[in-house]
Amino acid sequence: MTALLDQKPAPPRDAPAGGGRPARRRRTWWMYLFLLPTVLGYGAYTVYPLVASWWYALLDWPGFAQTGTFIGLENFRRLFEDDLFWNAFGNSLVFLVVAVPLRVGLALALALVLNSRRTPFRGFFRTLFFLPVVTTGAIVGIVFTLLLDASGPISLAMVKSGLLDNPANFAANAGTSLYAGIAVWVWKWLGITLIYWLAALQTIPQDIHEAALVDGAGAWREFRHVTLPLMVPFLVIITLIDTVAALNVFDLMQTLTAGGPSFSSEVIEIYIFRTAFQATVPELGYASAAAVLFGVLTIGLAIGQAVGVRWARRRMGTS
């Protein structure tokens, strides 16, 4: 009986002598072929342009020449003296400072309302706010050029309500074009931030809310002393995600204002595009230098995002 228990079960007939791992490898190696198109596309359209732009930034390369002339850091010196570059940089900074808090704050307020069980048609309103997210940014920009026109419904409604004396084209006015782009961008992407906040609110146990209400805390005090402290780690993550997203507004701003009028709404992305492809004499090397500086800014924000996410996870782990 002991001898029978000590015997090992015989391997299956189709199993290799050395175990099942080599056979599994032979059966699955061809699956990596499905990744090949993605790898090639990512390398050709993301990795290569990213690496090449650092070399092009060191060249004097007009668009009509096949190759450029090496000039070192001259393009970067010109950028620091270019008023239009700093104008675009300032517009991008204003976009960040105004749009990100507006998007995060409005989404949080809507999430608090739509997370409540007393709100009717919660699913309908969640879908309604999320619909603009799945719409192409270029299409949104084109549609809003019509809505924000002097003869559009928004301007006419504001004149009828007494908010304006005369019709105004908000996208074509130097004083309002950038802020019109900010408003449209917030409207378009509000739904995705709303989903982030709804997911964050689901992590708070319902017992905590009920205990606060039993203790006599009103809605404001319950939000301030219970909900908001628990949402701080999520606030850091969501704000950083929206900050990085606010740097990628080319499609929307190009179709809505094209950086005008008089460069009043030109962000860094439009500045790079105009310098490289729309100038009388395209300057590919100079535009690449601007793209490199823009990339450095984005990398800095990405590093800040990684640090913020790590801090937030540590905070959630210890809370």
Side-chain angles (χ1 to χ4, degrees), residues 16 23 46 54 91 97 126 131 138 140 157 159-160 181 187 217 222 231 236 246 252 259-260 275 295:
T46 301
W54 288 78
N91 287 337
V97 172
R126 291 178 182 180
L131 281 178
V140 171
V159 170
K160 289 183 179 180
W187 172 83
E222 190 269 340
M231 290 292 100
V236 174
L252 175 63
T275 305

Side-chain angles (χ1 to χ4, degrees), residues 46-319:
T46 301
V47 177
Y48 173 75
L50 181 64
V51 175
S53 63
W54 288 78
W55 167 247
Y56 296 155
L58 305 177
L59 304 179
D60 179 15
W61 188 7
F64 303 114
Q66 291 185 352
T67 58
T69 304
F70 182 80
I71 57 174
L73 300 178
E74 179 64 21
N75 286 327
F76 294 97
R77 186 194 65 80
R78 286 180 55 196
L79 277 176
F80 283 105
E81 297 176 356
D82 191 346
D83 293 336
L84 290 179
F85 171 77
W86 290 112
N87 171 73
F89 182 84
N91 287 337
S92 296
L93 187 62
V94 171
F95 203 104
L96 288 177
V97 172
V98 177
V100 173
L102 191 61
R103 174 175 161 180
V104 173
L106 285 177
L108 175 58
L110 286 173
L112 291 172
V113 175
L114 297 179
N115 192 58
S116 175
R117 297 178 179 178
R118 293 175 293 181
T119 302
F121 307 108
R122 293 187 301 167
F124 170 77
F125 286 111
R126 291 178 182 180
T127 304
L128 186 66
F129 283 111
F130 190 78
L131 281 178
V133 175
V134 300
T135 307
T136 306
I139 295 177
V140 171
I142 294 174
V143 171
F144 269 90
T145 56
L146 304 175
L147 296 178
L148 296 173
D149 190 75
S151 59
I154 296 178
S155 179
L156 295 179
M158 295 181 70
V159 170
K160 289 183 179 180
S161 62
L163 297 176
L164 289 177
D165 295 330
N166 299 305
N169 190 337
F170 299 101
N173 186 288
T176 59
S177 59
L178 180 61
Y179 298 98
I182 290 173
V184 175
W185 181 81
V186 170
W187 172 83
K188 178 184 175 2
W189 294 107
L190 186 66
I192 192 67
T193 309
L194 172 64
I195 296 300
Y196 294 157
W197 278 123
L198 287 173
L201 290 172
Q202 298 299 319
T203 63
I204 302 178
Q206 190 65 27
D207 297 341
I208 297 179
H209 297 288
E210 296 176 354
L213 295 177
V214 170
D215 291 340
W220 168 248
R221 293 185 61 187
E222 190 269 340
F223 168 75
R224 180 180 177 183
H225 298 288
V226 177
T227 303
L228 188 58
L230 295 175
M231 290 292 100
V232 169
F234 298 99
L235 175 63
V236 174
I237 297 174
I238 293 173
T239 301
L240 289 172
I241 292 175
D242 288 356
T243 300
V244 174
L247 293 174
N248 302 298
V249 296
F250 172 78
D251 53 349
L252 175 63
M253 295 301 295
Q254 178 66 20
T255 54
L256 182 64
T257 66
S262 301
F263 310 104
S264 60
S265 62
E266 184 176 72
V267 293
I268 293 182
E269 290 176 303
I270 296 181
Y271 174 87
I272 296 171
F273 176 77
R274 177 177 60 82
T275 305
F277 302 108
Q278 291 186 327
T280 305
V281 179
E283 299 181 89
L284 301 182
Y286 190 62
S288 296
V292 167
L293 290 182
F294 179 67
V296 170
L297 173 63
T298 306
I299 291 173
L301 290 175
I303 294 174
Q305 180 179 2
V307 173
V309 169
R310 181 174 298 180
W311 173 87
R313 287 178 176 176
R314 189 181 301 114
R315 173 75 179 270
M316 288 186 291
T318 57
S319 60

